[in-house]
Amino acid sequence: GDKVISFDDVTKGYGERVLLKKLSFDLPPGAILGVVGPNGMGKTTMLRMILGQEKPDSGSVTIGATVKLTYLDQSRLILDDSKSVYDNITEGNQVIPFGNITLHARAYVARFQFKGEDQQKLLGECSGGMRNRVLLARMLRNPANVILLDEPTNDLDLDTLRVLEEALQEYVGSAIVVSHDRYFLNRVATHILAFEGEAEINFHHGDYESYSEWRKQDREKRGLGPQSRAGRYRKLLRS
């Protein structure tokens, strides 16, 4: 549909602290929205409002009538360490819907780089990167046209990270990706939502690099001077 997710003058706070103040933006169909900013600024709260787990203090959050959401939770609490990789992903299903076809469950699990004995490994014995791959595979079993990813790159090895980048670039739906990995966002994001602190949030059309350049020019126009030394030298280093 034409309507995906829309925030209209949304304000949200806890006690005297305001996290979002009159936030307005529309997520276009097919867009990948990269969400950046320090921890505790309201990024996860925004996701919770999209999921209906939180309500705005004022304003409105509208979800399109045809939207089907799936969510990769930052806490990763839905996994069972006492079960195997295979059982965590498939939950007992022998076949997995995959677009217009179905895949045998073991073939589906293998697409996430779990081969042979790795599929029978107990999740409690897996590394952080393997656990993240399990969660991605489990989440992506469910058909959806909008995916919410909260820090999806945590603990991923470079091969898996590259697969995730390519998958998002080819994805025909929309996505919201909360991440501190600026290089990753520069590869996949079509728009940026930046939480700057003090309830200042900027919505930018373009990747992270173009946002960073716009932010620099905006600060100069407002006479704020250059950003901190740490911010100045936090460049995109991976290739």
Side-chain angles (χ1 to χ4, degrees):
D2 295 331
K3 176 72 71 175
V4 183
I5 296 171
S6 178
F7 275 59
D8 185 16
D9 280 341
V10 171
T11 295
K12 178 68 176 179
Y14 298 96
E16 297 182 355
R17 188 182 182 201
V18 177
L19 295 176
L20 286 70
K21 185 176 181 180
K22 293 188 176 300
L23 173 62
S24 295
F25 71 89
D26 289 302
L27 180 66
I32 307 294
L33 176 64
V35 183
V36 300
N39 291 332
M41 292 291 103
K43 302 188 300 297
T44 299
T45 297
M46 181 195 70
L47 295 183
R48 290 181 181 276
M49 284 193 284
I50 293 171
L51 293 165
Q53 298 172 354
E54 297 273 2
K55 301 295 183 183
D57 297 333
S58 62
S60 62
V61 179
T62 304
I63 310 299
T66 61
V67 166
K68 295 181 180 179
L69 286 167
T70 190
Y71 176 45
L72 176 64
D73 189 357
Q74 190 180 45
S75 63
R76 278 82 165 155
L77 295 179
I78 65 171
L79 302 178
D80 188 339
D81 286 348
S82 66
K83 293 183 178 180
S84 68
V85 165
Y86 176 84
D87 288 335
N88 266 281
I89 294 173
T90 65
E91 296 183 286
N93 295 290
Q94 297 300 310
V95 293
I96 306 292
F98 193 80
N100 296 322
I101 63 173
T102 58
L103 292 176
H104 189 278
R106 293 204 178 276
Y108 175 81
V109 174
R111 283 175 174 263
F112 293 83
Q113 300 182 7
F114 293 111
K115 306 292 177 66
E117 294 181 357
D118 282 346
Q119 294 192 8
Q120 300 309 316
K121 192 173 184 179
L122 290 179
L123 188 67
E125 301 172 354
C126 293
S127 66
M130 291 180 71
R131 291 176 66 87
N132 209 345
R133 272 189 282 144
V134 169
L135 193 66
L136 281 169
R138 178 163 164 164
M139 179 196 73
L140 294 173
R141 269 182 35 211
N142 302 314
N145 51 24
V146 179
I147 55 177
L148 308 181
L149 302 172
D150 195 357
E151 298 293 350
T153 64
N154 284 356
D155 302 316
L156 289 186
D157 56 72
L158 288 177
D159 288 340
T160 307
L161 184 60
R162 187 55 52 85
V163 169
L164 178 59
E165 289 175 357
E166 292 172 354
L168 281 172
Q169 288 166 351
E170 295 174 5
Y171 184 54
V172 296
S174 301
I176 296 178
V177 184
V178 177
S179 181
H180 290 94
D181 190 332
R182 271 52 171 172
Y183 178 84
F184 175 75
L185 291 180
N186 208 53
R187 296 264 297 179
V188 303
T190 61
H191 300 70
I192 296 293
L193 188 68
F195 286 67
E196 305 285 0
E198 301 298 327
E200 179 185 354
I201 306 172
N202 292 309
F203 182 74
H204 176 75
H205 293 259
D207 60 18
Y208 181 78
E209 196 166 11
S210 68
Y211 165 74
S212 183
E213 183 60 32
W214 172 86
R215 182 62 173 146
K216 176 182 176 182
Q217 295 174 1
D218 180 65
R219 289 181 63 86
E220 291 173 351
K221 288 178 182 178
R222 293 193 288 166
L224 297 178
Q227 64 188 114
S228 69
R229 180 176 179 180
R232 231 175 23 243
Y233 288 95
R234 195 178 295 124
K235 300 299 183 184
L236 306 174
L237 298 179
R238 284 190 285 115
S239 60

